[in-house]
């Protein structure tokens, strides 16, 4: 019942971006590709050979819900960066529908589109694009300056945002005096300063060293936890996607091959491509105990260690090991079920639900 209640609450969340049947085709007479059944389903190589066109995004549909981190991931050339640029028409879609808060993005005039990019959806790029001769504070305040905010007000707002991303004390430095991670924090602060409804991240951490990258991921997680801001995050890194995403859209050759929670993608791959993608993922770090529960027997619901339904299998294995038996799955003071060694190890081994339930 708790899982059903959570699903109902999720379904009731407002939709920020709604995308339907989106295509982006590059090449001659690109607008003829989406509605032409003779070529629309060709492979990328066949399409190029027959038409001279490249379909970077192919018939993509999804919704981004308010307050979620929606991750689009795929290998280089899968279409993910083109897709996120289409959301604000930094790249013009070839066909399809995009709405933000119910408003037709493709019908926006220049003035309305400028408003969308400056106020409602801010982009954080891999290449920071900082102004080298401006201080950290003035770089962060730049978007507010473009909006026409007065100097004292924008500097006060920028100062507040600089502190929020952990750069307090560095306000007067220039970008060249900062590390890569610090520069990316400036880029993040600049996007946050305009208080956008949605943050769009286009592989922002891929050029950073692994430890700095992890720090920045933690920063995104912290900011999301504190502010609940809607985020669309583009990455080619599966571990990053699994760590950050509430839901993940996995792309290949311009299409979404699977869309679901990290647990759904790792636990129930849609096809062999996704299965190969997640093959080396430690399942116990992603799968939750909901997939391993069984009904309580006897007095099991009253005794033993407790874990929450959203605890990972890895955490539950530790609890079960300490109890030398089983652990209760408890939510709001109610025991939902029991997990034990056998069922937890079955999930780790990738056995299907029927085998786990046997």
């Amino acid at each position: 019942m708790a899982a059903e209640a959570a699903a109902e609450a999720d379904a009731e969340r407002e939709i920020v971006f709604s995308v339907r049947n989106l295509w982006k085709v590059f090449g001659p007479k690109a607008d003829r590709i989406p509605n032409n059944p003779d070529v629309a389903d060709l492979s990328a190589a066949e399409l190029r050979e027959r038409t001279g066109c490249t379909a970077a995004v192919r018939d993509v549909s999804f919704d981004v819900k308010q307050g979620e981190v929606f991750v689009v991931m795929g290998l280089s050339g899968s279409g993910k960066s083109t897709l996120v640029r289409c959301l604000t028409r930094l790249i013009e879609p070839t066909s399809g529908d995009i709405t933000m808060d119910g408003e037709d993005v493709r019908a926006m005039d220049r003035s309305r589109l400028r408003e969308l990019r400056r106020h409602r959806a801010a982009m954080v790029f891999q290449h920071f694009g900082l102004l080298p001769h401006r201080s950290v504070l003035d770089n962060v305040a730049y978007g507010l300056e473009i909006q026409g905010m007065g100097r004292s007000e924008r500097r006060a707002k920028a100062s507040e945002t600089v502190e929020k991303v952990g750069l307090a004390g560095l306000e007067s430095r220039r970008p060249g005096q900062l590390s890569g991670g610090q520069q990316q924090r400036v880029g993040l602060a600049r996007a946050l300063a305009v208080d956008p409804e949605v943050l769009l991240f286009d592989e922002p951490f891929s050029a950073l060293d692994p430890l700095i990258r992890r720090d920045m991921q933690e920063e995104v997680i912290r900011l999301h936890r504190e502010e609940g801001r809607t985020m669309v995050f583009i990455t080619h890194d599966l571990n990053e996607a699994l760590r950050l995403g509430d839901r993940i859209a996995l792309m290949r050759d311009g299409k979404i091959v699977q869309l679901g929670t990290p647990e759904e993608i790792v636990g129930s791959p849609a096809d062999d491509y996704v299965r190969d993608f997640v093959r080396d993922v430690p399942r116990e770090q992603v799968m939750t105990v909901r997939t391993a529960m069984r009904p309580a027997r006897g007095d099991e619901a009253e005794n033993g260690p407790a874990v929450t339904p959203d605890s990972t299998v890895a955490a539950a294995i530790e609890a079960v090991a300490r109890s030398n038996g089983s652990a209760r799955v408890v939510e709001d003071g109610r025991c939902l079920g029991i997990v034990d060694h056998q069922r937890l190890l079955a999930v780790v081994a990738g056995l299907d639900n029927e085998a786990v339930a046997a």
Side-chain angles (χ1 to χ4, degrees):
M1 292 181 63
E4 292 175 2
E8 289 178 8
D10 183 67
E12 291 175 0
R13 282 197 291 177
E14 292 184 10
I15 293 173
V16 179
F17 273 112
S18 181
V19 177
R20 293 292 179 270
N21 309 116
L22 185 69
W23 285 77
K24 177 55 189 178
V25 182
F26 296 96
K29 301 178 180 177
D31 59 321
R32 298 185 181 183
I33 302 299
N35 298 314
N36 185 345
D38 293 332
V39 297
D41 292 328
L42 294 177
S43 70
E46 290 172 329
L47 184 66
R48 281 194 300 271
E49 184 177 341
R50 286 185 53 178
T51 68
C53 291
T54 298
V57 177
R58 290 173 171 250
D59 198 22
V60 165
S61 298
F62 62 89
D63 293 325
V64 177
K65 299 175 182 177
Q66 187 176 44
E68 80 171 325
V69 180
F70 186 89
V71 174
V72 182
M73 74 154 300
L75 300 177
S76 178
S78 62
K80 57 190 186 299
S81 290
T82 301
L83 173 60
V84 75
R85 282 168 166 76
C86 284
L87 295 180
T88 57
R89 286 174 54 197
L90 290 174
I91 292 178
E92 286 288 349
T94 303
S95 70
D97 300 314
I98 304 171
T99 62
M100 183 177 184
D101 298 327
E103 183 178 2
D104 187 347
V105 174
R106 297 196 66 200
M108 290 180 177
D109 60 20
R110 287 186 179 182
S111 173
R112 193 66 183 143
L113 200 54
R114 192 179 305 117
E115 169 78 10
L116 170 68
R117 295 170 183 167
R118 289 183 179 178
H119 297 271
R120 299 168 66 189
M123 183 81 79
V124 182
F125 295 98
Q126 173 183 344
H127 303 292
F128 322 120
L130 303 182
L131 302 170
H133 302 301
R134 288 197 174 201
S135 68
V136 166
L137 192 65
D138 287 337
N139 265 283
V140 173
Y142 182 68
L144 301 172
E145 181 180 347
I146 294 297
Q147 290 181 2
M149 185 180 289
R151 187 173 188 273
S152 61
E153 186 180 358
R154 71 174 181 258
R155 286 177 69 84
K157 177 68 174 176
S159 180
E160 176 185 323
T161 311
V162 164
E163 185 172 355
K164 184 181 294 184
V165 300
L167 291 176
L170 303 179
E171 292 87 346
S172 61
R173 293 195 183 182
R174 302 269 177 97
Q177 298 173 298
L178 304 176
S179 68
Q182 289 170 334
Q183 289 181 39
Q184 190 55 281
R185 286 175 187 266
V186 176
L188 177 58
R190 182 174 56 191
L192 283 170
V194 299
D195 195 24
E197 181 180 355
V198 183
L199 279 172
L200 306 173
F201 294 87
D202 188 12
E203 299 204 65
F205 310 145
S206 60
L208 302 177
D209 293 337
L211 290 178
I212 299 175
R213 181 172 189 159
R214 187 171 182 84
D215 285 345
M216 290 304 301
Q217 291 168 0
E218 290 287 354
E219 190 69 18
V220 169
I221 292 169
R222 181 185 68 80
L223 286 169
H224 184 259
R225 184 173 60 244
E226 293 177 357
E227 300 187 347
R229 199 182 301 268
T230 307
M231 299 180 179
V232 178
F233 198 100
I234 308 301
T235 182
H236 65 269
D237 186 294
L238 178 60
N239 290 327
E240 186 167 72
L242 295 173
R243 191 158 186 247
L244 298 179
D246 294 315
R247 289 189 300 148
I248 300 169
L250 180 55
M251 293 189 72
R252 181 189 189 191
D253 295 335
K255 296 181 179 180
I256 293 178
V257 293
Q258 186 167 1
L259 196 164
T261 65
E263 189 170 11
E264 288 169 342
I265 287 176
V266 172
S268 303
D271 58 20
D272 288 341
Y273 178 75
V274 182
R275 194 169 292 108
D276 285 343
F277 224 105
V278 303
R279 181 178 53 197
D280 297 325
V281 173
R283 292 171 59 87
E284 67 274 14
Q285 301 292 340
V286 178
M287 306 300 291
T288 66
V289 297
R290 293 184 189 276
T291 59
M293 289 191 304
R294 62 167 173 80
R297 295 191 286 262
D299 63 352
E300 286 181 321
E302 308 300 328
N303 302 302
V307 294
T308 66
D310 294 324
S311 297
T312 63
V313 166
I317 287 174
E318 291 184 19
V320 168
R322 287 195 301 269
S323 73
N324 213 15
S326 61
R328 298 174 299 140
V329 182
V330 177
E331 186 173 54
D332 296 329
R334 189 168 63 90
C335 180
L336 305 180
I338 300 295
V339 288
D340 54 30
H341 281 295
Q342 181 181 0
R343 298 178 71 86
L344 292 171
L345 292 176
V347 173
V348 174
L351 300 181
D352 60 30
N353 291 336
E354 291 183 4
V356 173

